[in-house]
Amino acid sequence: MPDRGGGPTGPRMRVGRPSRRVRTLLMTLGVLAVLGMVFTMFAGFWTDWLWYRSVDYSSVFTTTLWTKIGLFFVFGLLMALAVGFNIWLAHRMRPPLSAMSMEQQNLDRYRMGIAPYKKWLLLGITALLGLIAGASASGQWRTWLMWVNGVPFGQKDPQFKLDVAFYAFDLPWYRFLLGFGFAATVLSLIAAALTHYLYGGLRVTSPGARATAAATGHLSVLLGVFVALKAVAYWLDRYGLAVKSSDFKATDNWTGLRYVDANAYLPAKTILFCIAVICALLFFATLWRRTWQLPVIGFGLMVLSAILIGGLYPAIVQKFQVQPNEQAKEAPYVEKNLKATREAYGIDDAQVDEYPGTSQTEDKTKLRDDVSKTASIRIMDPNIVSPTFQQLQQIRNYYAFPTNLDVDRYPDPKTGAEQDTVIGLREINLNGIPKRNWINDHFRYTHGYGAVAAKGTSADDGRPVFTESDLPSKGDLGTYEQRVYYGERTTTYSIVGGPQKEIDYSDDSGEKTTSYKGDSGVNLANPINRAAYAAAFSEPQILYSGAIGEGSRILYNRTPKERVEAVAPWLTIDGDAYPAVVDGQIQWIVDAYTTSNGYPYASRTTLGDTTADSLTATNDNRAVVAQENRVNYIRNSVKATVDAYSGEVKLYQWDTKDPVLKTWMKAFPDTVEPRSEISQGLMDHLRYPQDLFKVQRELLTRYHVKDATTFLSGSEVWQVPADPTNKTGDAVPPYYQSMKMPDQKEQAFSLTTTFTPNGRDNLSAFMAVDAEAGSEGYGKIRVLKLPTSTTAAGPKQVQSQFNSEQDIAESIRLLRGGDSEVEYGNLLAVPLDGGLLYVEPVYVRGGDLKYPLLRKVLVTYGGQTAFEDTLEQALDKVFGAEGPATEPPKGEDEGTEQPPSSENPTVQEALNDAQKAFETGQEALKKNDWEAYGRAQKDLEEALRKAEKAQSGDGGGGSGAADGSPSPDASPSS
């Protein structure tokens, strides 16, 4: 071609073109970049596979992976074929070129431009759409697995008489298929229309017919398919009414049909289905009639019908039939919602009893005697005393306890009876390492050490009465593997078992080292594995570090919640895992839930909202469940354990009737062990989960009523009160405590909460559930409903009463003197003889002592309030009578008073202890053992203090200096 630039006609100048060396370098860099990205993707895949294989759950990885791959290719291919076929068909139906208009002349340039690349363009478009559709479909792996493995519920919805499994498992899959069909049809229609336009089958400005007969028939068929799919959508919408959410009366999460749905929307959907079928047939008929007239008229009538029948008619029914007599019209549908909601959340068997709210006994001495029989009142608040555990039992700065400790049950070694116990693990704390570097963070400081436990119902001079303590830990828990490689605070990876020794613990003789002997984690001896983890963790040192060698294993995903979520991605995990010493091992116990959003007529709830309380708002190791997860069915179907040493994860079937769990067990066989495999040692520590309880209590604020009239009136709506012990304004958390409800014969480990009327602060109800797994009454919900005519004090009012009484306020002011801080513990409520006994421990952080000590106990009952040094003294004052001298039930020490043989010694016993301590100190002096001498001096001082108290008649309970100064027996920390 001639040169049109006006420049020289000789050879073209190579202006700005890079040299061959530069091009080679750029090409090499490009190839390396691509290889780097490919290897990074491979590293992520490979490390995931290695991790699942290391925990013996490789079937979860492979099942999930192959399901995603299958869905990706099937639906990606279907989308590519659908769009590609219609583009090909439109091109094949193109009209022969004739005298061209200006419009066609303009299009001719585009036709000529793409002519050499038609096949590549077709492949590119279809491949891109196929990739997008396949990626979207692969995200539906849960929906597919639930549909293909669905197990019947054995319950039918009241409207269509279909098994609940249709709504929970089938309907979501059908809706996905319908959505995919719409997407494929719309994209095919757009692609075909553009192709017809490009090649002259459709004309916009050209004279004559706007579309050829072939284009008319092709597009009409696609429009007919679209309308046919709309007909299917109308038919499925009929069933969707049973799981449709709407705002209605006392709840904004109403699910199920109402009067207007059953009498207006349901027939409207049926009529619209019929109209859509007819309209689709009219579109298909254009293959023979070759005219748009009838289909367009039919489509217009369908749109008009959708507006009038699907929108206006239901509005008229609601306005003129429902609103004038709403209660009568809606009552039958409300009853269905009440029944379904109570079944879906497991509250259908909740026992609601009337409770007077005031004491029925005049004999105060009997009431005082009944306290110890009714409850073992826990005065150690696990959400307050963590700093005390930290100060007294941390031992080394590189150990730490969780912000919130846990409450469990352990037998008293003397009586064998269970006692409420506050327990926490001494986990690794990287922030406390003396010198932070890569080796120390990941090779030397790798694990925590030992459990620390204290009686929940006792205190010694304000401190916990430890039943397991020191380093290594020793006490009532016996012999067990104390190394904690997996825990709530263990969030970074560690490399163990190789040439680099780990710090085990330190004692008087110095540091003890160890090397991990378990088979947890992934072996790094393989150079491919090392390279993969170096890429996956962005830690190149893993590839070449000499600290990694034969036997080195990398541990990660180390929190109990992470591990259970990974091996069972179909479960919703409780926000609070708790440790237990079981059969010589520390096991993290994790409650897990199966949920569904498709239970007909059951109202929905957002788990993130209903499981939030004052603890989740202020503490880092107490999380809410699945923040945005909206469900209307939940079961605590799985109990999981994570071994703190080996990291082994086990899933146990807990709810043997749950169809959702059975469905997932079919999808992932051999991942969940039968309930019969739970050992007795583990069963002793299983408990009713807090998050399920919080969901159930939130539903019971409205669904404790069983008749539609009361529900519609809203007169019986309750609310969960705000936590009165702090200023967050968040809901009061439920509390574990051993107590008995009025219809129980003996105490049971329970989970409890209170309710107040909506918008008011007086008490409306008290709720408790038997929380001890394996017991006959486990999971039994009892609600004590107070009369609306009474004004029994609620938690906020009780707290205000405490703060407003002049003597108490003055005492608290004195406790706050100087640098001291007052912290209120859990406000426990206990039903007692028709009334409610409230008990609240009060802790003080005084002076330089930066951990709380129990200094006072607040008690109120029947309008009487006491603020004393010990629980016993406060109860005596409230009831005007002394408690029984015998041991309380369950072998637990009552309040802060201890058995006479230990915390309440006689003068002679205390003097004997002093003499023994003096002699021990003299022996230590002879050996120049100054540390032992210091301990003996502290023991001597403590014995003399107890002797002085015993001589003066003071019982030596939970009193002490208001300034919070430590007693001589406080353990040191480093």
Side-chain angles (χ1 to χ4, degrees), residues 35-47 524 527-543 554:
L35 290 176
M37 288 188 292
V38 170
F39 183 77
T40 301
M41 294 172 60
F42 166 78
F45 166 81
W46 184 244
T47 53
L524 290 181
I528 296 178
N529 291 356
R530 292 177 67 170
Y533 279 102
F537 288 0
S538 299
E539 287 280 13
Q541 296 176 92
I542 293 177
L543 187 59
I554 184 168

PDB file of all heavy atoms in Angstrom, residues 35-47 524 527-543 554:
ATOM      1  N   LEU A  35       4.474 -18.258  35.987  1.00  0.00           N
ATOM      2  CA  LEU A  35       4.821 -19.438  36.760  1.00  0.00           C
ATOM      3  C   LEU A  35       4.670 -19.186  38.257  1.00  0.00           C
ATOM      4  O   LEU A  35       4.244 -20.074  39.007  1.00  0.00           O
ATOM      5  CB  LEU A  35       6.258 -19.860  36.442  1.00  0.00           C
ATOM      6  CG  LEU A  35       6.498 -20.443  35.048  1.00  0.00           C
ATOM      7  CD1 LEU A  35       7.991 -20.730  34.841  1.00  0.00           C
ATOM      8  CD2 LEU A  35       5.690 -21.714  34.842  1.00  0.00           C
ATOM      9  N   GLY A  36       5.040 -17.967  38.685  1.00  0.00           N
ATOM     10  CA  GLY A  36       4.885 -17.623  40.102  1.00  0.00           C
ATOM     11  C   GLY A  36       3.432 -17.659  40.532  1.00  0.00           C
ATOM     12  O   GLY A  36       3.099 -18.178  41.602  1.00  0.00           O
ATOM     13  N   MET A  37       2.552 -17.087  39.686  1.00  0.00           N
ATOM     14  CA  MET A  37       1.123 -17.106  40.017  1.00  0.00           C
ATOM     15  C   MET A  37       0.577 -18.525  40.028  1.00  0.00           C
ATOM     16  O   MET A  37      -0.203 -18.900  40.911  1.00  0.00           O
ATOM     17  CB  MET A  37       0.348 -16.238  39.023  1.00  0.00           C
ATOM     18  CG  MET A  37       0.579 -14.750  39.203  1.00  0.00           C
ATOM     19  SD  MET A  37      -0.520 -13.738  38.178  1.00  0.00           S
ATOM     20  CE  MET A  37       0.111 -14.119  36.544  1.00  0.00           C
ATOM     21  N   VAL A  38       1.012 -19.326  39.044  1.00  0.00           N
ATOM     22  CA  VAL A  38       0.555 -20.717  38.993  1.00  0.00           C
ATOM     23  C   VAL A  38       1.035 -21.479  40.233  1.00  0.00           C
ATOM     24  O   VAL A  38       0.266 -22.235  40.852  1.00  0.00           O
ATOM     25  CB  VAL A  38       1.059 -21.399  37.703  1.00  0.00           C
ATOM     26  CG1 VAL A  38       0.792 -22.908  37.759  1.00  0.00           C
ATOM     27  CG2 VAL A  38       0.394 -20.785  36.481  1.00  0.00           C
ATOM     28  N   PHE A  39       2.296 -21.268  40.626  1.00  0.00           N
ATOM     29  CA  PHE A  39       2.815 -21.981  41.793  1.00  0.00           C
ATOM     30  C   PHE A  39       2.107 -21.533  43.071  1.00  0.00           C
ATOM     31  O   PHE A  39       1.845 -22.347  43.962  1.00  0.00           O
ATOM     32  CB  PHE A  39       4.320 -21.777  41.927  1.00  0.00           C
ATOM     33  CG  PHE A  39       4.911 -22.545  43.084  1.00  0.00           C
ATOM     34  CD1 PHE A  39       5.132 -23.907  42.990  1.00  0.00           C
ATOM     35  CD2 PHE A  39       5.205 -21.907  44.287  1.00  0.00           C
ATOM     36  CE1 PHE A  39       5.654 -24.616  44.056  1.00  0.00           C
ATOM     37  CE2 PHE A  39       5.732 -22.614  45.351  1.00  0.00           C
ATOM     38  CZ  PHE A  39       5.953 -23.981  45.237  1.00  0.00           C
ATOM     39  N   THR A  40       1.805 -20.231  43.150  1.00  0.00           N
ATOM     40  CA  THR A  40       1.085 -19.743  44.331  1.00  0.00           C
ATOM     41  C   THR A  40      -0.287 -20.393  44.433  1.00  0.00           C
ATOM     42  O   THR A  40      -0.729 -20.796  45.519  1.00  0.00           O
ATOM     43  CB  THR A  40       0.946 -18.215  44.267  1.00  0.00           C
ATOM     44  OG1 THR A  40       2.245 -17.617  44.213  1.00  0.00           O
ATOM     45  CG2 THR A  40       0.208 -17.692  45.491  1.00  0.00           C
ATOM     46  N   MET A  41      -0.978 -20.497  43.290  1.00  0.00           N
ATOM     47  CA  MET A  41      -2.280 -21.177  43.285  1.00  0.00           C
ATOM     48  C   MET A  41      -2.115 -22.643  43.656  1.00  0.00           C
ATOM     49  O   MET A  41      -2.893 -23.196  44.446  1.00  0.00           O
ATOM     50  CB  MET A  41      -2.930 -21.029  41.914  1.00  0.00           C
ATOM     51  CG  MET A  41      -3.303 -19.602  41.550  1.00  0.00           C
ATOM     52  SD  MET A  41      -3.870 -19.434  39.840  1.00  0.00           S
ATOM     53  CE  MET A  41      -5.292 -20.516  39.863  1.00  0.00           C
ATOM     54  N   PHE A  42      -1.085 -23.272  43.101  1.00  0.00           N
ATOM     55  CA  PHE A  42      -0.821 -24.667  43.435  1.00  0.00           C
ATOM     56  C   PHE A  42      -0.498 -24.823  44.916  1.00  0.00           C
ATOM     57  O   PHE A  42      -0.947 -25.776  45.567  1.00  0.00           O
ATOM     58  CB  PHE A  42       0.343 -25.192  42.592  1.00  0.00           C
ATOM     59  CG  PHE A  42       0.896 -26.500  43.095  1.00  0.00           C
ATOM     60  CD1 PHE A  42       0.251 -27.696  42.840  1.00  0.00           C
ATOM     61  CD2 PHE A  42       2.077 -26.530  43.846  1.00  0.00           C
ATOM     62  CE1 PHE A  42       0.765 -28.892  43.316  1.00  0.00           C
ATOM     63  CE2 PHE A  42       2.595 -27.725  44.326  1.00  0.00           C
ATOM     64  CZ  PHE A  42       1.934 -28.919  44.053  1.00  0.00           C
ATOM     65  N   ALA A  43       0.283 -23.865  45.462  1.00  0.00           N
ATOM     66  CA  ALA A  43       0.666 -23.945  46.879  1.00  0.00           C
ATOM     67  C   ALA A  43      -0.559 -23.899  47.776  1.00  0.00           C
ATOM     68  O   ALA A  43      -0.656 -24.652  48.754  1.00  0.00           O
ATOM     69  CB  ALA A  43       1.629 -22.807  47.229  1.00  0.00           C
ATOM     70  N   GLY A  44      -1.500 -23.025  47.451  1.00  0.00           N
ATOM     71  CA  GLY A  44      -2.717 -22.962  48.255  1.00  0.00           C
ATOM     72  C   GLY A  44      -3.504 -24.249  48.199  1.00  0.00           C
ATOM     73  O   GLY A  44      -3.973 -24.760  49.235  1.00  0.00           O
ATOM     74  N   PHE A  45      -3.646 -24.801  46.993  1.00  0.00           N
ATOM     75  CA  PHE A  45      -4.359 -26.072  46.838  1.00  0.00           C
ATOM     76  C   PHE A  45      -3.616 -27.198  47.551  1.00  0.00           C
ATOM     77  O   PHE A  45      -4.209 -27.998  48.284  1.00  0.00           O
ATOM     78  CB  PHE A  45      -4.502 -26.378  45.347  1.00  0.00           C
ATOM     79  CG  PHE A  45      -4.922 -27.791  45.064  1.00  0.00           C
ATOM     80  CD1 PHE A  45      -6.249 -28.165  45.147  1.00  0.00           C
ATOM     81  CD2 PHE A  45      -3.977 -28.766  44.719  1.00  0.00           C
ATOM     82  CE1 PHE A  45      -6.637 -29.472  44.892  1.00  0.00           C
ATOM     83  CE2 PHE A  45      -4.349 -30.076  44.463  1.00  0.00           C
ATOM     84  CZ  PHE A  45      -5.688 -30.428  44.544  1.00  0.00           C
ATOM     85  N   TRP A  46      -2.307 -27.273  47.365  1.00  0.00           N
ATOM     86  CA  TRP A  46      -1.527 -28.369  47.918  1.00  0.00           C
ATOM     87  C   TRP A  46      -1.490 -28.336  49.441  1.00  0.00           C
ATOM     88  O   TRP A  46      -1.620 -29.380  50.102  1.00  0.00           O
ATOM     89  CB  TRP A  46      -0.113 -28.321  47.339  1.00  0.00           C
ATOM     90  CG  TRP A  46       0.777 -29.453  47.758  1.00  0.00           C
ATOM     91  CD1 TRP A  46       1.916 -29.383  48.503  1.00  0.00           C
ATOM     92  CD2 TRP A  46       0.596 -30.842  47.453  1.00  0.00           C
ATOM     93  NE1 TRP A  46       2.470 -30.627  48.674  1.00  0.00           N
ATOM     94  CE2 TRP A  46       1.676 -31.551  48.046  1.00  0.00           C
ATOM     95  CE3 TRP A  46      -0.366 -31.551  46.735  1.00  0.00           C
ATOM     96  CZ2 TRP A  46       1.801 -32.926  47.934  1.00  0.00           C
ATOM     97  CZ3 TRP A  46      -0.235 -32.936  46.632  1.00  0.00           C
ATOM     98  CH2 TRP A  46       0.833 -33.597  47.227  1.00  0.00           C
ATOM     99  N   THR A  47      -1.309 -27.152  50.015  1.00  0.00           N
ATOM    100  CA  THR A  47      -1.277 -27.064  51.488  1.00  0.00           C
ATOM    101  C   THR A  47      -2.641 -27.397  52.082  1.00  0.00           C
ATOM    102  O   THR A  47      -2.715 -27.992  53.163  1.00  0.00           O
ATOM    103  CB  THR A  47      -0.830 -25.669  51.937  1.00  0.00           C
ATOM    104  OG1 THR A  47      -1.647 -24.664  51.302  1.00  0.00           O
ATOM    105  CG2 THR A  47       0.625 -25.416  51.572  1.00  0.00           C
ATOM    106  N   LEU A 524       7.450 -31.336  57.091  1.00  0.00           N
ATOM    107  CA  LEU A 524       8.177 -30.400  56.239  1.00  0.00           C
ATOM    108  C   LEU A 524       9.492 -30.965  55.717  1.00  0.00           C
ATOM    109  O   LEU A 524      10.302 -30.231  55.145  1.00  0.00           O
ATOM    110  CB  LEU A 524       8.463 -29.107  57.009  1.00  0.00           C
ATOM    111  CG  LEU A 524       7.258 -28.226  57.319  1.00  0.00           C
ATOM    112  CD1 LEU A 524       7.703 -26.971  58.056  1.00  0.00           C
ATOM    113  CD2 LEU A 524       6.505 -27.847  56.061  1.00  0.00           C
ATOM    114  N   PRO A 527      10.914 -31.217  50.405  1.00  0.00           N
ATOM    115  CA  PRO A 527      11.202 -29.856  49.916  1.00  0.00           C
ATOM    116  C   PRO A 527      10.038 -29.215  49.172  1.00  0.00           C
ATOM    117  O   PRO A 527       9.892 -27.995  49.176  1.00  0.00           O
ATOM    118  CB  PRO A 527      12.413 -30.057  48.990  1.00  0.00           C
ATOM    119  CG  PRO A 527      12.424 -31.511  48.651  1.00  0.00           C
ATOM    120  CD  PRO A 527      11.835 -32.219  49.824  1.00  0.00           C
ATOM    121  N   ILE A 528       9.196 -30.044  48.531  1.00  0.00           N
ATOM    122  CA  ILE A 528       8.017 -29.493  47.850  1.00  0.00           C
ATOM    123  C   ILE A 528       7.062 -28.901  48.878  1.00  0.00           C
ATOM    124  O   ILE A 528       6.501 -27.817  48.682  1.00  0.00           O
ATOM    125  CB  ILE A 528       7.327 -30.577  47.001  1.00  0.00           C
ATOM    126  CG1 ILE A 528       8.256 -31.037  45.878  1.00  0.00           C
ATOM    127  CG2 ILE A 528       6.025 -30.055  46.434  1.00  0.00           C
ATOM    128  CD1 ILE A 528       7.676 -32.143  45.020  1.00  0.00           C
ATOM    129  N   ASN A 529       6.883 -29.616  49.975  1.00  0.00           N
ATOM    130  CA  ASN A 529       6.012 -29.110  51.035  1.00  0.00           C
ATOM    131  C   ASN A 529       6.564 -27.801  51.605  1.00  0.00           C
ATOM    132  O   ASN A 529       5.818 -26.847  51.862  1.00  0.00           O
ATOM    133  CB  ASN A 529       5.875 -30.135  52.154  1.00  0.00           C
ATOM    134  CG  ASN A 529       5.087 -31.358  51.716  1.00  0.00           C
ATOM    135  OD1 ASN A 529       4.584 -31.416  50.595  1.00  0.00           O
ATOM    136  ND2 ASN A 529       4.991 -32.344  52.594  1.00  0.00           N
ATOM    137  N   ARG A 530       7.862 -27.759  51.817  1.00  0.00           N
ATOM    138  CA  ARG A 530       8.474 -26.540  52.358  1.00  0.00           C
ATOM    139  C   ARG A 530       8.275 -25.365  51.415  1.00  0.00           C
ATOM    140  O   ARG A 530       7.934 -24.258  51.843  1.00  0.00           O
ATOM    141  CB  ARG A 530       9.963 -26.772  52.620  1.00  0.00           C
ATOM    142  CG  ARG A 530      10.230 -27.748  53.755  1.00  0.00           C
ATOM    143  CD  ARG A 530      11.705 -28.016  53.960  1.00  0.00           C
ATOM    144  NE  ARG A 530      12.419 -26.838  54.438  1.00  0.00           N
ATOM    145  CZ  ARG A 530      13.675 -26.858  54.871  1.00  0.00           C
ATOM    146  NH1 ARG A 530      14.343 -28.000  54.876  1.00  0.00           N
ATOM    147  NH2 ARG A 530      14.266 -25.757  55.281  1.00  0.00           N
ATOM    148  N   ALA A 531       8.474 -25.616  50.130  1.00  0.00           N
ATOM    149  CA  ALA A 531       8.289 -24.540  49.149  1.00  0.00           C
ATOM    150  C   ALA A 531       6.832 -24.089  49.107  1.00  0.00           C
ATOM    151  O   ALA A 531       6.539 -22.885  49.016  1.00  0.00           O
ATOM    152  CB  ALA A 531       8.736 -25.015  47.769  1.00  0.00           C
ATOM    153  N   ALA A 532       5.919 -25.043  49.198  1.00  0.00           N
ATOM    154  CA  ALA A 532       4.496 -24.704  49.159  1.00  0.00           C
ATOM    155  C   ALA A 532       4.111 -23.853  50.359  1.00  0.00           C
ATOM    156  O   ALA A 532       3.390 -22.851  50.229  1.00  0.00           O
ATOM    157  CB  ALA A 532       3.655 -25.978  49.110  1.00  0.00           C
ATOM    158  N   TYR A 533       4.592 -24.218  51.553  1.00  0.00           N
ATOM    159  CA  TYR A 533       4.258 -23.440  52.746  1.00  0.00           C
ATOM    160  C   TYR A 533       4.985 -22.105  52.761  1.00  0.00           C
ATOM    161  O   TYR A 533       4.451 -21.116  53.284  1.00  0.00           O
ATOM    162  CB  TYR A 533       4.547 -24.244  54.006  1.00  0.00           C
ATOM    163  CG  TYR A 533       3.452 -25.218  54.324  1.00  0.00           C
ATOM    164  CD1 TYR A 533       3.588 -26.571  54.036  1.00  0.00           C
ATOM    165  CD2 TYR A 533       2.256 -24.779  54.875  1.00  0.00           C
ATOM    166  CE1 TYR A 533       2.562 -27.462  54.299  1.00  0.00           C
ATOM    167  CE2 TYR A 533       1.224 -25.667  55.145  1.00  0.00           C
ATOM    168  CZ  TYR A 533       1.380 -27.005  54.851  1.00  0.00           C
ATOM    169  OH  TYR A 533       0.357 -27.881  55.104  1.00  0.00           O
ATOM    170  N   ALA A 534       6.172 -22.055  52.209  1.00  0.00           N
ATOM    171  CA  ALA A 534       6.868 -20.766  52.106  1.00  0.00           C
ATOM    172  C   ALA A 534       6.060 -19.800  51.247  1.00  0.00           C
ATOM    173  O   ALA A 534       5.967 -18.604  51.560  1.00  0.00           O
ATOM    174  CB  ALA A 534       8.260 -20.968  51.514  1.00  0.00           C
ATOM    175  N   ALA A 535       5.448 -20.322  50.178  1.00  0.00           N
ATOM    176  CA  ALA A 535       4.620 -19.473  49.314  1.00  0.00           C
ATOM    177  C   ALA A 535       3.278 -19.163  49.962  1.00  0.00           C
ATOM    178  O   ALA A 535       2.815 -18.018  49.945  1.00  0.00           O
ATOM    179  CB  ALA A 535       4.414 -20.150  47.965  1.00  0.00           C
ATOM    180  N   ALA A 536       2.652 -20.175  50.548  1.00  0.00           N
ATOM    181  CA  ALA A 536       1.320 -19.988  51.130  1.00  0.00           C
ATOM    182  C   ALA A 536       1.351 -19.035  52.319  1.00  0.00           C
ATOM    183  O   ALA A 536       0.420 -18.249  52.516  1.00  0.00           O
ATOM    184  CB  ALA A 536       0.740 -21.332  51.553  1.00  0.00           C
ATOM    185  N   PHE A 537       2.410 -19.096  53.143  1.00  0.00           N
ATOM    186  CA  PHE A 537       2.509 -18.252  54.331  1.00  0.00           C
ATOM    187  C   PHE A 537       3.354 -17.004  54.106  1.00  0.00           C
ATOM    188  O   PHE A 537       3.559 -16.229  55.035  1.00  0.00           O
ATOM    189  CB  PHE A 537       3.109 -19.041  55.502  1.00  0.00           C
ATOM    190  CG  PHE A 537       2.188 -20.078  56.083  1.00  0.00           C
ATOM    191  CD1 PHE A 537       0.912 -20.270  55.577  1.00  0.00           C
ATOM    192  CD2 PHE A 537       2.591 -20.859  57.141  1.00  0.00           C
ATOM    193  CE1 PHE A 537       0.063 -21.222  56.113  1.00  0.00           C
ATOM    194  CE2 PHE A 537       1.751 -21.814  57.687  1.00  0.00           C
ATOM    195  CZ  PHE A 537       0.481 -21.996  57.160  1.00  0.00           C
ATOM    196  N   SER A 538       3.847 -16.836  52.873  1.00  0.00           N
ATOM    197  CA  SER A 538       4.728 -15.695  52.548  1.00  0.00           C
ATOM    198  C   SER A 538       5.907 -15.624  53.507  1.00  0.00           C
ATOM    199  O   SER A 538       6.285 -14.567  53.997  1.00  0.00           O
ATOM    200  CB  SER A 538       3.929 -14.378  52.586  1.00  0.00           C
ATOM    201  OG  SER A 538       2.888 -14.390  51.646  1.00  0.00           O
ATOM    202  N   GLU A 539       6.471 -16.793  53.802  1.00  0.00           N
ATOM    203  CA  GLU A 539       7.615 -16.920  54.709  1.00  0.00           C
ATOM    204  C   GLU A 539       8.735 -17.644  53.975  1.00  0.00           C
ATOM    205  O   GLU A 539       8.876 -18.871  54.076  1.00  0.00           O
ATOM    206  CB  GLU A 539       7.228 -17.700  55.972  1.00  0.00           C
ATOM    207  CG  GLU A 539       6.362 -16.940  56.945  1.00  0.00           C
ATOM    208  CD  GLU A 539       7.163 -15.973  57.811  1.00  0.00           C
ATOM    209  OE1 GLU A 539       8.334 -15.718  57.484  1.00  0.00           O
ATOM    210  OE2 GLU A 539       6.606 -15.481  58.798  1.00  0.00           O
ATOM    211  N   PRO A 540       9.573 -16.944  53.206  1.00  0.00           N
ATOM    212  CA  PRO A 540      10.632 -17.622  52.449  1.00  0.00           C
ATOM    213  C   PRO A 540      11.614 -18.373  53.346  1.00  0.00           C
ATOM    214  O   PRO A 540      12.263 -19.319  52.888  1.00  0.00           O
ATOM    215  CB  PRO A 540      11.312 -16.478  51.699  1.00  0.00           C
ATOM    216  CG  PRO A 540      10.931 -15.230  52.436  1.00  0.00           C
ATOM    217  CD  PRO A 540       9.573 -15.491  52.986  1.00  0.00           C
ATOM    218  N   GLN A 541      11.711 -17.998  54.625  1.00  0.00           N
ATOM    219  CA  GLN A 541      12.655 -18.670  55.518  1.00  0.00           C
ATOM    220  C   GLN A 541      12.301 -20.142  55.721  1.00  0.00           C
ATOM    221  O   GLN A 541      13.166 -20.950  56.055  1.00  0.00           O
ATOM    222  CB  GLN A 541      12.688 -17.961  56.874  1.00  0.00           C
ATOM    223  CG  GLN A 541      13.219 -16.533  56.798  1.00  0.00           C
ATOM    224  CD  GLN A 541      13.148 -15.831  58.149  1.00  0.00           C
ATOM    225  OE1 GLN A 541      14.086 -15.865  58.912  1.00  0.00           O
ATOM    226  NE2 GLN A 541      12.026 -15.196  58.420  1.00  0.00           N
ATOM    227  N   ILE A 542      11.035 -20.466  55.539  1.00  0.00           N
ATOM    228  CA  ILE A 542      10.635 -21.867  55.677  1.00  0.00           C
ATOM    229  C   ILE A 542      11.375 -22.725  54.655  1.00  0.00           C
ATOM    230  O   ILE A 542      11.685 -23.894  54.909  1.00  0.00           O
ATOM    231  CB  ILE A 542       9.103 -21.998  55.494  1.00  0.00           C
ATOM    232  CG1 ILE A 542       8.372 -21.301  56.657  1.00  0.00           C
ATOM    233  CG2 ILE A 542       8.675 -23.455  55.422  1.00  0.00           C
ATOM    234  CD1 ILE A 542       6.863 -21.312  56.529  1.00  0.00           C
ATOM    235  N   LEU A 543      11.690 -22.146  53.515  1.00  0.00           N
ATOM    236  CA  LEU A 543      12.320 -22.899  52.439  1.00  0.00           C
ATOM    237  C   LEU A 543      13.769 -23.264  52.750  1.00  0.00           C
ATOM    238  O   LEU A 543      14.239 -24.349  52.418  1.00  0.00           O
ATOM    239  CB  LEU A 543      12.236 -22.100  51.136  1.00  0.00           C
ATOM    240  CG  LEU A 543      12.690 -22.798  49.860  1.00  0.00           C
ATOM    241  CD1 LEU A 543      11.867 -24.054  49.620  1.00  0.00           C
ATOM    242  CD2 LEU A 543      12.574 -21.846  48.675  1.00  0.00           C
ATOM    243  N   ILE A 554       4.703 -28.685  60.685  1.00  0.00           N
ATOM    244  CA  ILE A 554       4.121 -27.351  60.839  1.00  0.00           C
ATOM    245  C   ILE A 554       2.698 -27.492  61.341  1.00  0.00           C
ATOM    246  O   ILE A 554       1.898 -28.266  60.806  1.00  0.00           O
ATOM    247  CB  ILE A 554       4.185 -26.557  59.513  1.00  0.00           C
ATOM    248  CG1 ILE A 554       3.670 -25.127  59.738  1.00  0.00           C
ATOM    249  CG2 ILE A 554       3.418 -27.246  58.384  1.00  0.00           C
ATOM    250  CD1 ILE A 554       3.964 -24.190  58.574  1.00  0.00           C
TER     251      ILE A 554
END
